[in-house]
Amino acid sequence: QVQLVESGGGLVQAGGSLRVSCVASRSTYAMGWFRLTPGKEREFVAMSSWNGGSIAYAESVKGRFTISRDNAKNTVSLQMSSLKPEDTAVYYCAAAEAWTGPSDLGYPYWGQGTQVTVSS
């Protein structure tokens, strides 16, 4: 089992920046982020392999969000810039023992989520 704990959510104005982070109880190959908005399905945001050799972003966040890992601390962070009101969601950290792509079905480990609210 892997426990994931997110931090760093909050309220920010449109155009601003925010960083969310997630610490894992142990290392896993893939770590990244999904988000959930009421009335919508959970959406893939970004994912990184253990060494950053494989990174994927949703089209909606490319060029605005940057994912990074610190393997010495078993953490993954998501730096979010040029935030838009449509980025408002609960952001969930997810982890898997292998690269499974953007489907949330492939990730057995999940954090509790952290709220990100972008005001217009």
Side-chain angles (χ1 to χ4, degrees), residues 34 95-110:
F34 288 76
E97 307 292 1
W99 185 264
T100 57
S103 171
D104 61 355
L105 298 177
Y107 297 91
Y109 310 120
W110 293 87

Side-chain angles (χ1 to χ4, degrees), residues 58-76:
E59 285 296 326
S60 59
V61 307
K62 275 184 180 178
R64 301 188 298 120
F65 290 11
T66 301
I67 189 170
S68 61
R69 292 187 66 165
D70 183 341
N71 294 320
K73 299 179 180 179
N74 290 338
T75 61
V76 61

Side-chain angles (χ1 to χ4, degrees), residues 20-67:
V20 291
S21 294
C22 170
V23 58
S25 57
R26 64 168 175 84
S27 178
T28 58
Y29 182 79
M31 289 186 74
W33 299 89
F34 288 76
R35 64 189 182 186
L36 183 63
T37 303
K40 295 184 177 180
E41 293 185 354
R42 188 157 51 189
E43 177 188 17
F44 169 77
V45 177
M47 193 62 60
S48 174
S49 62
W50 183 81
N51 62 357
S54 295
I55 289 179
Y57 293 99
E59 285 296 326
S60 59
V61 307
K62 275 184 180 178
R64 301 188 298 120
F65 290 11
T66 301
I67 189 170

